[in-house]
Amino acid sequence: ATILVTGANGFVGAWVVSKLLNRGYSVRAAVRTQSKGRHLLDTNSQYGDKLEIAAVGDIATDGAFDEAVKGVDGIIHTASPVTMAADDPKELIEPAVNGAVGILASALKHGSSVKRIVVTSSFSAVIPFPSPPVTITEALWNDAAVKDCEENGRNAKPMSKYAASKTLAERAVWAFHKEHKSKVTWDVTVINPPFIFGPVVHEVTTPDSLNSSTKLFYDGLVKGESHGQDPSKYPDGGWVDIRDIAEAHIKALEVPAAGGERVLVIKDTFVWQDFYDIANSLSPKPYHTLATGTPGAILVRNRKVNMEKAPRLLGLEYIAAEEMIKDTLADYVRRGW
Ligand code: NDP
């Protein structure tokens, strides 16, 4: 079977591509330009012509995926802008929504062999911010972020801009599928991850060029930035290892019962002190500089998440924090950072 993966040169996309190839799938990797596919071809050269690159340009453009969807059996759509630095919320909302609707519209027109489309959404499309003291489940929607952007535009909270883009994109996906259900051969599964951490396989040359979530991890564990403890800035949520997220996307393609489901894929909730403590307790010391935070500090833990669905539905067994931290720091050592 051939799977189209969008955002294939990104943190999540590149892991999904290599895991799919490893499992015997053929992959069409959608990136903006052919040159953005170079690193993928180099790092997956053992799979030969099972990997092809599709240059699709800007995902916000109408019909961007019209050619790329032709002949594929499944689609994993990870492409979406990830930054907390947008000025106008539209900078995030337009590509997120147009890209998500665009992939479904292309599949409607030209994807007669497609059986399932897996879309990467986010915890930020789920957890309202500021968050109410309720257990987080798949039933929640972050419409508060959309409202913040509607009311405050450029002055909306940075987190609201990204969260609104994910909320609106996911809502648009479900609405599009509902509207065209009778005419399509495929169904939809949505994966909602919290912070994704772990080693990277996409093209990264310096710590500063890491993607947002792994840069946050690097800045926390290595540089000791205590970003995690300010709930007004970073909502406490959860974390999951990138290798489990890649696995979740593939299982979401394969498991018949995953069709029509929205799935929170989370290993655990955390505060950054947990990671500092684990990193510093590892022996041998996994990295030359490690932040310590404030061991023993009493930190607010107010997050409760119902984590039951993903393991049950997708058969996931999660990588533990020790392993994620050890492997991530080993990745930095290998890179000479
Ligand atoms: P990256 O920034 O590493 O990857 C984003 C990908 O999307 C890149 O391939 C990027 O291409 C592509 N992309 C973004 N905007 C456009 C555009 N306008 N046109 C064409 N391509 C575009 O981030 P992640 O891999 O972390 O994110 C992947 C998905 O996972 C996103 O949907 C994100 O919201 C979601 N997610 C990520 C989490 C995390 O902690 N990392 C947590 C929860 C959800 P290019 O490099 O050319 O810009």
Side-chain angles (χ1 to χ4, degrees):
T2 301
I3 309 301
L4 170 66
V5 180
T6 73
N9 63 315
F11 172 49
V12 175
W15 265 107
V16 169
V17 167
S18 71
K19 239 183 206 283
L20 281 168
L21 289 166
N22 184 258
R23 293 274 267 280
Y25 286 97
S26 293
V27 176
R28 186 174 297 160
V31 289
R32 284 183 209 250
T33 58
Q34 281 293 336
S35 67
K36 290 222 178 194
R38 192 69 254 164
H39 181 81
L40 281 170
L41 290 171
D42 289 346
T43 51
N44 293 288
S45 57
Q46 70 268 38
Y47 300 107
D49 59 9
K50 289 203 125 189
L51 172 62
E52 62 173 308
I53 303 299
V56 298
D58 190 324
I59 58 170
T61 310
D62 241 18
F65 298 111
D66 278 359
E67 284 304 312
V69 298
K70 289 181 182 166
V72 301
D73 304 283
I75 298 172
I76 297 180
H77 177 63
T78 80
S80 203
V82 188
T83 170
M84 299 300 139
D87 176 27
D88 188 334
K90 283 197 193 110
E91 292 165 30
L92 297 177
I93 292 170
E94 277 179 12
V97 173
N98 294 1
V101 171
I103 192 95
L104 302 193
S106 292
L108 171 65
K109 272 189 282 173
H110 303 289
S112 55
S113 52
V114 176
K115 289 169 205 72
R116 176 155 300 160
I117 303 181
V118 179
V119 176
T120 319
S121 185
S122 171
F123 252 60
S124 58
V126 177
I127 305 184
F129 181 61
S131 59
V134 297
T135 299
I136 306 304
T137 71
E138 280 87 358
L140 288 180
W141 283 90
N142 190 357
D143 294 317
V146 178
K147 192 157 167 259
D148 186 9
C149 292
E150 280 168 2
E151 286 174 357
N152 301 307
R154 289 167 196 266
N155 298 322
K157 295 184 199 72
M159 187 64 203
S160 289
K161 298 175 190 178
Y162 170 68
S165 79
K166 298 304 289 179
T167 304
L168 290 168
E170 193 193 330
R171 280 212 182 277
V173 162
W174 290 119
F176 188 98
H177 181 251
K178 194 170 172 204
E179 188 184 339
H180 300 282
K181 212 174 182 160
S182 61
K183 286 168 275 174
V184 296
T185 50
W186 39 266
D187 57 11
V188 172
T189 304
V190 171
I191 299 294
N192 299 76
F195 283 121
I196 309 168
F197 302 127
V200 303
V201 294
H202 66 300
E203 185 165 27
V204 173
T205 46
T206 61
D208 276 343
S209 61
L210 284 164
N211 65 291
S212 309
S213 60
T214 58
K215 183 166 189 307
L216 207 63
F217 184 92
Y218 181 92
D219 289 347
L221 272 269
V222 173
K223 292 178 32 190
E225 290 179 11
S226 62
H227 41 241
Q229 312 307 347
D230 178 358
S232 65
K233 218 166 149 197
Y234 296 98
D236 59 333
W239 74 275
V240 64
D241 190 287
I242 180 60
R243 294 160 290 187
D244 290 331
I245 280 298
E247 185 67 24
H249 281 79
I250 296 171
K251 286 279 170 57
L253 270 183
E254 295 174 338
V255 173
E261 297 290 340
R262 179 182 208 219
V263 194
L264 299 177
V265 180
I266 166 175
K267 162 62 184 166
D268 214 344
T269 57
F270 76 106
V271 294
W272 287 87
Q273 190 65 45
D274 299 333
F275 288 176
Y276 299 146
D277 292 347
I278 292 168
N280 283 288
S281 71
L282 293 171
S283 175
K285 197 177 173 199
Y287 194 74
H288 47 88
T289 44
L290 280 178
T292 52
T294 313
I298 295 165
L299 299 163
V300 182
R301 290 169 193 271
N302 53 12
R303 173 69 65 223
K304 282 198 173 45
V305 182
N306 184 329
M307 308 183 204
E308 168 278 329
K309 187 172 182 177
R312 171 174 53 78
L313 184 70
L314 304 177
L316 297 174
E317 283 176 47
Y318 292 118
I319 290 168
E322 287 76 8
E323 191 177 342
M324 179 276 285
I325 291 170
K326 199 153 55 74
D327 293 352
T328 308
L329 294 170
D331 184 29
Y332 301 160
V333 171
R334 250 192 323 270
R335 288 164 191 276
W337 292 354

